[in-house]
Amino acid sequence: MPLELYRDKNHACLMFTDLIEEDGQAVQANQFLIVDNGTGAIIDPGGNLAYNELFMGMTQHFPPHKLSYIIASHADPDIIASLDRWLSSTQAMLVISRVWERFVPHFTKVGKTDKRVIGVPDGGGRLPLGSHELWLIPAHFMHSEGNFHFYDPVSRILFTGDLGVSMMSGAQARQPVTSLKPHIPLMEGFHRRYMVSNKILRLWVNMVRPMDIAMLVPQHGAPIVGKQAVNEFFDWVENLMCGIDLFDDRAYQLPVASIDPVSRQTRAPLRAVNAQAS
């Protein structure tokens, strides 16, 4: 059952949080359906693990033959690995950064993407959807080289891909976050590793802070809802040291540990015993 993020008589935003079995093998991921006046778009449809359930879930709310777009924030497997099946089952166009335009055919059979990819320039753009439009907002290096967020002016939702992510179950992801402080432990480790640098985060905050945003909705974890929580996220993330800010020469040394293919563990080398030690 999808979570209804927004609905009026002509416009709806639905969030699917639990289409992947929570067996620990794959990270929880959200998928999104936006419908405006009979025209639809799927945002970040996910991989093959999610395809069947998402397709069937969509048909309960929207006819697949009216799907106009498959929109991808970037080209990671959990974002778009199911592309071949979506291009087979619908007439939708893929919307993705130009950086990834010639890479995504590797997810499909030969010729499947011919004339079905809208490559988005680095500056983004506004994409018609029904009677309105979606804003494709630059979000480069958060964490992908070619990366976009998607703003829906009707619902005032900013879909933020891997920014704002929290590590939790699909059931937990259905519970909106209205106060950021207790939520930070579920976000911090991911952001410190996957966001490229504080410089990028500050540039992004400067761009989006003036916008009218009702909620931030990431591709993993729970929505951040309400002006207070959204502003708290801006304040937190613009001061976060991450990515290359935290790396030095200790991260770039020749490896000495042994990887055991049976236990799948990495073993540090044994230390030499100093025979002269007293």
Side-chain angles (χ1 to χ4, degrees):
M1 178 71 67
L3 177 64
E4 193 172 278
L5 299 175
Y6 177 90
R7 181 179 292 277
D8 64 32
K9 64 179 181 179
N10 298 314
H11 193 90
C13 299
L14 304 179
M15 173 179 173
F16 298 81
T17 68
D18 56 358
L19 302 185
I20 298 171
E21 291 186 14
E22 295 178 5
D23 56 5
Q25 296 186 38
V27 66
Q28 183 273 339
N30 303 320
Q31 300 82 34
F32 309 99
L33 172 65
I34 301 181
V35 178
D36 187 273
N37 288 281
T39 301
I42 293 281
I43 293 178
D44 291 347
N48 288 315
L49 292 175
Y51 172 79
N52 287 335
E53 294 294 331
L54 180 58
F55 187 87
M56 295 304 296
M58 179 184 68
T59 61
Q60 297 178 29
H61 302 274
F62 182 79
H65 71 274
K66 290 189 176 182
L67 190 70
S68 294
Y69 307 116
I70 299 294
I71 304 178
S73 55
H74 55 291
D76 278 2
D78 61 312
I79 297 287
I80 199 65
S82 59
L83 179 61
D84 185 82
R85 301 179 74 178
W86 283 104
L87 294 181
S88 296
S89 60
T90 74
Q91 297 300 309
M93 300 285 288
L94 171 66
V95 180
I96 196 167
S97 167
R98 282 183 183 171
V99 169
W100 300 116
E101 187 173 359
R102 295 180 63 218
F103 290 83
V104 291
H106 287 277
F107 285 125
T108 71
K109 298 178 180 64
V110 175
K112 190 72 77 67
T113 58
D114 186 33
K115 297 181 180 179
R116 292 188 67 181
V117 181
I118 299 173
V120 183
D122 281 351
R126 301 190 181 192
L127 184 70
L129 179 66
S131 301
H132 295 91
E133 58 190 10
L134 292 177
W135 297 13
L136 281 51
I137 297 177
H140 310 304
F141 298 102
M142 293 186 293
H143 62 99
S144 173
E145 298 89 334
N147 197 59
F148 287 93
H149 295 163
F150 310 111
Y151 179 66
D152 173 21
V154 179
S155 64
R156 297 159 44 234
I157 295 173
L158 180 59
F159 297 92
T160 54
D162 279 328
L163 187 68
V165 159
S166 51
M167 296 288 98
M168 57 179 54
S169 69
Q172 291 171 319
R174 297 175 63 88
Q175 304 302 315
V177 173
T178 57
S179 177
L180 196 73
K181 187 175 181 179
H183 192 61
I184 288 174
L186 299 174
M187 299 191 298
E188 189 164 10
F190 182 94
H191 285 75
R192 288 194 183 278
R193 179 62 191 227
Y194 282 86
M195 300 297 111
V196 169
S197 72
N198 177 256
K199 173 184 176 180
I200 298 301
L201 296 177
R202 286 186 283 108
L203 291 170
W204 178 84
V205 170
N206 289 339
M207 174 182 62
V208 302
R209 199 186 275 277
M211 295 174 61
D212 181 14
I213 298 172
M215 67 179 79
L216 304 171
V217 183
Q219 194 241 345
H220 307 282
I224 298 171
V225 178
K227 186 174 182 179
Q228 176 182 327
V230 169
N231 284 332
E232 288 172 351
F233 180 79
F234 293 159
D235 293 342
W236 175 70
V237 80
E238 73 176 346
N239 291 293
L240 184 71
M241 302 300 286
C242 59
I244 61 173
D245 305 325
L246 306 177
F247 273 60
D248 56 27
D249 59 348
R250 290 172 294 179
Y252 296 90
Q253 298 185 21
L254 296 177
V256 294
S258 175
I259 300 174
D260 185 336
V262 177
S263 67
R264 297 168 296 184
Q265 301 296 315
T266 301
R267 297 177 178 176
L270 295 175
R271 293 183 177 181
V273 177
N274 186 349
Q276 303 300 317
S278 57

